[in-house]
Structure formats: C-alpha cells, structure tokens
Amino acid sequence: MANLLFYNNPVALNKVTHKDTKIKPRVNDFGFARNTNSVILAGVEFSEAAKEYPIVFAQAGESIVPVALLGLRNEENLFVKEDGSWDARYVPAFVRRYPFVLAETPEAPEQRMVCIDEEFAGFNEEEGEALFEGEEPTPILKQAIDFLEEYQKQYLRTETFLNRLKSLDLLISLNAKVDMASGEQFSLTGLLAIDEKKLLALDDLQALEFFHSGELGWVYCHLMSIGNLGNMINRVAAVTDAGSGDEQPEDVAAEKPKKKAKAKK
C-alpha cells in the first residue's frame, strides 16, 4: 500500500472478522500525524488548502504528486499542537480520512478494498459505534466509505491535471533556504512548482483546456500558496523559541528555479 504514512498496521475490513468491532470517533485528535511533514492533496482541495499551506509538487516513485507542506524538516508537523489538535482551519482530506483508507486488492489492482489502521486507539470491541450490523455496514462505516470513494474520484481527476502539467513541461525545481539566528540552516529541496512564464506562453488552445477543465484555478491557488512559506518559517521560529527562549528566523530565501523537472517515463 503506497503513500500510507501514518497508517502503522492497515488491515482489510471484514464483516466476519470485525463483526464485533467498534470505533470511537476522533474528536480533534491528530496526534497520529505529528511526524508527517507533508500530505498529498487532491486538486479540489487547493482553494482551501492554499489559504494555510504551501502547495508544491513532489516526486513519488515515478509519479508526481501535489502536496501540502506541514513542516520544513523531517518528521515535523507544525500544525499539530501538543494536545493533538490541528492548528489550522482546513484539515487536508488525506488526514481526515484516517483511520480508514482504500487500498488495491492483490488479485485485481483496479479494485479497492476498505482498510483500517488496526493500531488506531479507537479501534476496539468495547467502546464506540459498531462497524457492521449483521452483514451490512453501519452508518458510520457507510459515511467513511463514501468519503473514501469521493476522495479517490477526486484524486483520479487530479492525476489528469498532473499529466497535463507534465505533457506541457510546466514544472520546474523549487528550492528554499532558511537561516536561523542561531546559525542553524536548513534547505527545502526536491520540490517542484509551476513555471508561470511558461504558463503564460501557452497557446490559446492549451490555455482554454486549462480554463474549461477548471484546472486554471488550481494553478493559481498553487502559485499564491507559495507565499505561505513565510508563515511556516514563523511557526518554526515559534517552536524553536519555545525550546530555547529567543531564537528567531534571520533570513529566508526562496531560490529561483534553476532547471526543468523531467517526468520519468
């Protein structure tokens, strides 16, 4: 199962094996994502996510995926507070779907099965709402399945968008460097962004395809969201300041893209 991040032990739900299983709903508890510094986004989320997170593109195996940056260093999520609550208005769907997830079936990769993280603290046989009533899923499980199916549908649409970006060679490298007052430095590398100059140079037919598909709005949400890197730096400073007492960011530089990103075939 790819891109599962904080799913420690995903297992397929089964009406026989899990006939007595219950689930306690999560109530603003996102501690499971504390060490996750980015999550995949569907294009339909860009308009809300862009208000709070930098949206960039990253290489995942042979694919390119859009992600919301949640931290600037490894195993850092600047949006999960000490009590496990999420410190932003919009929570990405990738996070909200937990502990449920759709996974490919080994026999038929085009088919999906509903899985749950067996290590989720609310997954038990004593407390919460049942997942099955007889052989049928209960309302809470039906709601989760509907959410997963809609997420999958939207991500398939997002893949069409990504293929368009690659075919038009619109993605370029994006690098950022952070200098802390203490002398600590760290860099963001391996990220991709849309080249606005190339976007504006598209011919009329190509531009109209972006417009009629609704993807042009996604493009500009992405471009505007890059400005949220500054807010991320402030969050880093706040976390560091809480630990040391006085450290603040000294300089943040977003380097101009230097080379084109080539999609692997």
Side-chain angles (χ1 to χ4, degrees):
M1 299 178 194
N3 299 318
L4 292 184
L5 297 177
F6 32 73
Y7 292 82
N8 295 315
N9 188 26
V11 296
L13 280 177
N14 183 287
K15 61 187 177 184
V16 176
T17 307
H18 300 116
K19 63 183 177 64
D20 298 320
T21 302
K22 297 180 174 63
I23 188 167
K24 292 173 62 178
R26 286 186 301 101
V27 181
N28 201 24
D29 180 7
F30 298 94
F32 61 87
R34 192 180 301 279
N35 297 324
T36 302
N37 70 355
S38 65
V39 292
I40 294 174
L41 287 177
V44 72
E45 298 182 86
F46 281 22
S47 61
E48 291 299 319
K51 299 172 185 176
E52 311 194 62
Y53 315 102
I55 300 172
V56 294
F57 301 88
Q59 196 84 37
E62 298 205 0
S63 302
I64 289 175
V65 296
V67 299
L69 289 183
L70 306 177
L72 300 181
R73 295 171 286 195
N74 290 336
E75 298 187 353
E76 171 185 71
N77 188 332
L78 297 167
F79 293 88
V80 176
K81 300 168 73 173
E82 286 189 16
D83 63 0
S85 60
W86 195 271
D87 190 23
R89 187 189 58 80
Y90 181 75
V91 181
F94 191 100
V95 178
R96 282 184 283 129
R97 68 181 182 173
Y98 184 84
F100 299 99
V101 65
L102 284 181
E104 296 177 354
T105 59
E107 301 80 14
E110 70 280 0
Q111 296 180 356
R112 303 274 171 167
M113 57 186 175
V114 179
C115 298
I116 191 168
D117 186 358
E118 204 168 37
E119 292 191 18
F120 171 55
F123 187 62
N124 66 95
E125 293 188 358
E126 288 78 39
E127 299 180 81
E129 299 184 50
L131 293 174
F132 292 96
E133 185 174 351
E135 296 190 352
E136 297 299 320
T138 59
I140 191 171
L141 181 53
K142 286 179 182 177
Q143 183 180 18
I145 293 171
D146 289 345
F147 184 87
L148 293 173
E149 289 178 344
E150 179 62 22
Y151 179 87
Q152 182 66 19
K153 182 175 73 174
Q154 291 299 335
Y155 196 74
L156 289 175
R157 182 184 172 201
T158 305
E159 288 183 332
T160 300
F161 167 61
L162 296 171
N163 289 335
R164 196 190 309 276
L165 295 180
K166 289 187 287 185
S167 68
L168 295 174
D169 195 25
L170 292 179
L171 293 171
I172 50 177
S173 296
L174 173 70
N175 300 308
K177 177 182 166 185
V178 179
D179 294 319
M180 303 299 289
S182 66
E184 180 188 3
Q185 296 182 335
F186 57 93
S187 301
L188 291 176
T189 59
L191 302 178
L192 306 171
I194 293 173
D195 186 341
E196 190 172 11
K197 289 183 179 179
K198 280 192 172 184
L199 178 71
L200 294 175
L202 294 177
D203 62 39
D204 290 349
L205 180 59
Q206 293 168 329
L208 278 173
E209 287 177 348
F210 264 120
F211 177 78
H212 288 304
S213 69
E215 295 168 4
L216 190 59
W218 296 359
V219 168
Y220 281 102
C221 284
H222 150 68
L223 291 172
M224 289 186 292
S225 79
I226 301 301
N228 288 328
L229 280 170
N231 296 332
M232 299 281 283
I233 296 302
N234 292 336
R235 286 178 179 265
V236 171
V239 169
T240 306
D241 185 53
S244 66
D246 56 5
E247 189 171 1
Q248 294 295 325
E250 187 175 78
D251 183 55
V252 181
E255 300 175 6
K256 292 183 178 180
K258 295 180 180 178
K259 63 181 182 178
K260 300 175 183 177
K262 296 182 179 179
K264 297 181 181 179
K265 295 183 179 179

